Amino acid sequence: MIRLNVSLITETEEKRKKAIEAATELVAFSLRDKGCISYDLYGSLTNSDRLMIVETWESEEALKGHTETDHYKRLSPVLHDAASMTLEKFDF
Protein backbone atom coordinates (compact mmCIF):
# COMPACT_ATOMS: atom_id res chain seq x y z
CA MET A 1 0.00 0.00 0.00
CA ILE A 2 0.96 3.60 -0.52
CA ARG A 3 0.16 6.58 1.69
CA LEU A 4 0.51 10.15 0.47
CA ASN A 5 0.43 13.15 2.78
CA VAL A 6 0.00 16.26 0.67
CA SER A 7 0.53 19.41 2.74
CA LEU A 8 -0.95 22.66 1.43
CA ILE A 9 -0.14 26.17 2.66
CA THR A 10 -2.29 29.00 1.39
CA GLU A 11 -1.27 32.67 1.44
CA THR A 12 -4.71 34.28 1.55
CA GLU A 13 -8.22 33.43 2.67
CA GLU A 14 -9.35 33.55 -0.96
CA LYS A 15 -6.73 30.97 -1.96
CA ARG A 16 -7.65 28.84 1.05
CA LYS A 17 -11.28 28.79 -0.10
CA LYS A 18 -10.22 27.81 -3.64
CA ALA A 19 -7.99 25.05 -2.28
CA ILE A 20 -10.78 23.69 -0.09
CA GLU A 21 -13.28 23.73 -2.96
CA ALA A 22 -10.90 21.95 -5.34
CA ALA A 23 -9.70 19.45 -2.73
CA THR A 24 -13.24 18.63 -1.61
CA GLU A 25 -14.23 17.90 -5.20
CA LEU A 26 -11.04 15.89 -5.75
CA VAL A 27 -11.77 13.79 -2.65
CA ALA A 28 -15.32 13.03 -3.81
CA PHE A 29 -14.16 11.82 -7.23
CA SER A 30 -11.00 10.06 -6.04
CA LEU A 31 -12.81 7.87 -3.54
CA ARG A 32 -14.38 6.17 -6.57
CA ASP A 33 -11.03 5.54 -8.30
CA LYS A 34 -9.94 1.93 -8.60
CA GLY A 35 -7.53 1.02 -5.81
CA CYS A 36 -8.37 3.97 -3.56
CA ILE A 37 -8.53 2.81 0.05
CA SER A 38 -9.00 6.25 1.61
CA TYR A 39 -8.76 9.89 0.56
CA ASP A 40 -9.54 12.81 2.85
CA LEU A 41 -8.94 16.50 3.46
CA TYR A 42 -7.91 17.87 6.86
CA GLY A 43 -7.51 21.40 8.17
CA SER A 44 -5.25 22.60 10.96
CA LEU A 45 -6.91 23.77 14.16
CA THR A 46 -3.98 26.02 14.99
CA ASN A 47 -2.92 27.47 11.59
CA SER A 48 -5.75 28.54 9.29
CA ASP A 49 -3.44 28.54 6.27
CA ARG A 50 -2.64 24.79 6.58
CA LEU A 51 -4.51 21.91 4.94
CA MET A 52 -3.56 18.30 4.26
CA ILE A 53 -4.82 15.67 1.85
CA VAL A 54 -4.17 12.13 3.06
CA GLU A 55 -4.48 9.35 0.48
CA THR A 56 -4.06 5.59 0.72
CA TRP A 57 -3.75 3.46 -2.41
CA GLU A 58 -3.62 -0.30 -2.94
CA SER A 59 -0.62 -0.08 -5.25
CA GLU A 60 1.62 2.11 -7.36
CA GLU A 61 -0.47 1.10 -10.37
CA ALA A 62 -3.64 2.38 -8.67
CA LEU A 63 -1.94 5.68 -7.80
CA LYS A 64 -0.71 6.07 -11.38
CA GLY A 65 -4.24 5.41 -12.66
CA HIS A 66 -5.54 8.13 -10.35
CA THR A 67 -3.08 10.68 -11.74
CA GLU A 68 -4.36 9.94 -15.24
CA THR A 69 -8.03 10.63 -14.47
CA ASP A 70 -9.84 13.67 -15.84
CA HIS A 71 -10.70 14.92 -12.35
CA TYR A 72 -7.06 14.77 -11.19
CA LYS A 73 -5.81 16.52 -14.34
CA ARG A 74 -8.44 19.24 -13.92
CA LEU A 75 -8.21 19.83 -10.16
CA SER A 76 -4.50 19.34 -9.46
CA PRO A 77 -3.50 22.58 -11.26
CA VAL A 78 -6.13 24.48 -9.24
CA LEU A 79 -4.54 23.21 -6.02
CA HIS A 80 -1.05 24.07 -7.22
CA ASP A 81 -2.24 27.59 -8.04
CA ALA A 82 -4.00 28.07 -4.69
CA ALA A 83 -1.33 26.67 -2.36
CA SER A 84 2.29 25.72 -2.00
CA MET A 85 2.43 21.96 -1.70
CA THR A 86 4.76 19.34 -0.30
CA LEU A 87 4.38 15.60 -0.66
CA GLU A 88 5.41 12.76 1.64
CA LYS A 89 5.12 9.23 0.27
CA PHE A 90 5.17 6.07 2.38
CA ASP A 91 5.16 2.47 1.15
CA PHE A 92 3.86 -0.11 3.59
Side-chain angles (χ1 to χ4, degrees):
M1 283 192 287
I2 298 168
R3 163 80 41 84
L4 298 180
N5 294 338
V6 183
S7 299
L8 300 99
I9 301 175
T10 57
E11 294 178 2
T12 65
E13 185 60 29
E14 181 182 335
K15 286 189 174 194
R16 183 178 193 278
K17 287 179 184 178
K18 286 182 183 179
I20 289 171
E21 287 175 14
T24 300
E25 186 176 353
L26 184 60
V27 167
F29 280 111
S30 300
L31 285 168
R32 299 182 208 143
D33 289 347
K34 183 177 180 178
C36 180
I37 295 171
S38 66
Y39 206 109
D40 211 340
L41 172 66
Y42 299 93
S44 173
L45 297 175
T46 55
N47 293 302
S48 63
D49 64 343
R50 311 285 166 131
L51 302 166
M52 181 176 281
I53 298 171
V54 178
E55 315 170 27
T56 306
W57 296 93
E58 287 180 356
S59 65
E60 190 69 42
E61 180 181 42
L63 175 57
K64 184 176 182 332
H66 164 65
T67 64
E68 295 172 351
T69 62
D70 290 339
H71 55 269
Y72 180 86
K73 289 178 182 178
R74 178 173 53 85
L75 295 166
S76 182
V78 176
L79 288 171
H80 281 278
D81 184 55
S84 60
M85 299 170 62
T86 56
L87 173 72
E88 297 175 301
K89 183 177 178 183
F90 305 93
D91 294 304
F92 61 102

